[in-house]
Amino acid sequence: MANETTAQVNPSKDHKSEFDALVVGAGFAGLYQLHCLRDRLGLSVKVLEAGGGVGGTWYWNRYPGARCDSESHVYWYTFSPELMREWEWSERYPGQAEILRYLNFVADRFDLRKDIQLDTRVVAATYDAAANRWRVRTEAGQTFTAKFLITAVGCLSTANVPNIPGLEDFAGEWYHTGQWPHEGVDFTGKRVGMIGTGSTGIQAAPVIAASAEHLTVFQRTANYSVPARNAPLTAEFLRYVKDNTGEIRAITHETLNGMGFRIEERLAVETHPDDRESLYEAAWERGGLQFRAVFQDMLTDKKANDTAADFIKRKIRSIVTDPEKAAILSDIDHPYAAKRPPIDTDYFETYNRPNVSLVDLRQAPIERISRVGIRTTEAEYPVDVIVFATGFDAMTGPTLRMNISGRDGLTLKDAWGAGPVTYLGLQVAGFPNLFTITGPGSPSVLTNMPVAIEQHVDWITDCIKYLNQKGLDRVEARADAADRWVAEVNEMANKTVFPLATHSWYLGANIPGKPRVFMPYAGGMVRYRQICAEVAAGGYEGFTLS
Ligand code: NA7
């Protein structure tokens, strides 16, 4: 997709290399962190960004149908009421191009570009204890140093192209959805094979099918999806947003996961089946992630969850006319929302098109990619284009690939060898003055991300301000505090149905060899925000300050 907002000048290739703080990544997190440290604390800050433009996730994920699952009036920054009034969304869910325009608007509005260096991938970061500075090296061989290093690299930014034998021999084109060509891909007259039915594949399939000669979807794990019911926003709703910026921000701070809706108090297990059905039906019609809000116990009680799962499976079978396809699509092996729940526009309906077929990889796994297509243990499917909608090395991947070494030569890779160990998802013991925005152990991917990001950035900003005010130079998570936090993360996860989806990327299970640890904090944003605030109010309890 050609996008005028990405043709950017790169004004920041100057020679200064020493800063108070380095921020890696210029998506939602990096942009706001730059604004806070530079404009509120007066620090010298440089943002290093691998992409050719700002926007993070929304710079890279340009696949057909790419759209946010959070509703637009809560998927933005809320730190500035003026900014909320100046920007106007066009649809209930913002599309990729519109979010990218928004982030570019923010970069201009707060004059951020001059401190962002684009096309700059960080390949190493080493803590120099004697100097108390982080030394950061880029792919091009530039070095920078700073007292504080802040990773704003996102949770889903390391593309996972599965290691399927034969890809190098494939005669056609192939793409990963998270590294989509800016000029777009023309599917006209092409036979397309798409691997993956997560949120991405579910968004992409209907759009690809509309222009391709034929689309074959390769499904390993059947997935739930609820209609998004996307639509243009009315003038009345836009007026409501402009008039209620404070209330909108307040709601996202009060809800479990920073969304714009509250989860109902009622329990599925105590609701009469007829009433339950009506409530689910109404939620299906309303559409969106809000489906999860129908009952309080949906994610904590398997029996309650079963009622939602059963409803959606019946919906799938009622939409998809071919009984064989319907059976494959509705044969879902995990609780609803235990893996990230997608929302869609005409996903299941797409299987009723004559040019769409479905391959059940559970029955016959992919064996290899041949010169002409995708070969399973049962058949070969000739294709001209392969789309890998195969997700990401989530949560730890983007941070680990920066080759971070802390105190006494401890590498992050070793520190996280058995799975990520963090304190509050914000810091790692052994890595002084390193902050990880929406790191593993924080609510991150279980929330509406901008809300989690603003909370982290504000907390980090306050922490650095505190150090400066007290004449302190160093903050480091204590190992015992981190261990206690990991126990809390596990305890919260075990109160939910999340761990029952044993193959989810929340657990790292999509990446061969990755430790299986439930990575995000499932205790909810409200509880998490309160814990973080108490830690700060208590003089940064659990951290060593020196
Ligand atoms: P996901 O949710 O990780 O989905 C990836 C899909 O690709 C999923 O269906 C996987 O099946 C499938 N997959 C992955 N590797 C393979 C191999 N080797 N063979 C066949 N199928 C495979 O990624 P998305 O990009 O859809 O979504 C990521 C997040 O972005 C999303 O949750 C939102 O938060 C935004 P599996 O289920 O592992 O069997």
Side-chain angles (χ1 to χ4, degrees), residues 284-327:
W284 182 268
E285 283 311 311
R286 191 170 53 238
L289 292 175
Q290 215 164 332
F291 189 85
R292 181 264 167 274
V294 178
F295 293 112
Q296 187 65 225
D297 51 351
M298 200 188 283
L299 292 194
T300 51
D301 181 342
K302 172 74 169 46
K303 279 202 196 80
N305 192 285
D306 285 346
T307 66
D310 174 65
F311 177 86
I312 300 174
K313 288 175 187 176
R314 279 188 282 118
K315 279 287 181 196
I316 297 171
R317 290 192 288 267
S318 74
I319 296 169
V320 180
T321 51
D322 174 345
E324 197 188 333
K325 281 181 184 165

Side-chain angles (χ1 to χ4, degrees), residues 51 63 67 86 152 159 207 272 279 328 359 402 451 498 531 536 544:
Y63 62 85
R67 187 175 291 284
E86 285 165 27
V207 186
H272 188 278
L279 289 164
I328 297 169
V359 175
M402 284 191 288
V451 175
F498 289 123
I531 293 171
T544 302

Side-chain angles (χ1 to χ4, degrees), residues 379-505:
E380 181 165 73
Y381 299 87
V383 293
D384 305 303
V385 184
I386 299 176
V387 174
F388 287 98
T390 43
F392 302 89
D393 181 353
M395 309 202 66
T396 53
T399 319
L400 284 172
R401 76 171 166 182
M402 284 191 288
N403 296 307
I404 299 175
S405 308
R407 238 179 341 101
D408 308 321
L410 175 67
T411 65
L412 192 62
K413 213 176 191 164
D414 284 340
W416 286 0
V421 180
T422 72
Y423 182 37
L424 303 170
L426 278 160
Q427 269 219 335
V428 186
F431 298 79
N433 292 351
L434 168 70
F435 296 96
T436 50
I437 301 177
T438 64
S442 77
S444 63
V445 293
L446 299 181
T447 70
N448 178 30
M449 286 304 285
V451 175
I453 286 168
E454 280 190 336
Q455 184 267 343
H456 262 199
V457 170
D458 288 342
W459 193 96
I460 292 165
T461 305
D462 286 348
C463 178
I464 291 175
K465 184 175 168 193
Y466 180 90
L467 293 175
N468 289 349
Q469 280 173 345
K470 300 265 175 194
L472 296 163
D473 285 324
R474 209 173 294 136
V475 54
E476 181 186 338
R478 286 206 326 258
D480 61 318
D483 288 343
R484 275 200 308 279
W485 184 248
V486 170
E488 159 89 7
V489 171
N490 288 331
E491 190 187 329
M492 287 298 139
N494 288 334
K495 288 182 175 172
T496 70
V497 297
F498 289 123
L500 299 179
T502 51
H503 43 61
S504 86
W505 59 255

Side-chain angles (χ1 to χ4, degrees), residues 219-224 302 305-306 309 313 327-336 338-339 362 497 499-504:
Q219 173 189 283
R220 185 164 69 180
T221 306
N223 212 344
Y224 301 96
K302 172 74 169 46
N305 192 285
D306 285 346
K313 288 175 187 176
I328 297 169
L329 289 165
S330 61
D331 185 15
I332 308 174
D333 64 358
H334 53 276
Y336 171 66
K339 292 177 88 164
R362 278 286 151 90
V497 297
L500 299 179
T502 51
H503 43 61
S504 86

Side-chain angles (χ1 to χ4, degrees), residues 12 18 73 121 283 320 366 488:
S12 180
E18 297 190 358
H73 70 288
R121 184 174 289 284
V320 180
I366 296 176
E488 159 89 7

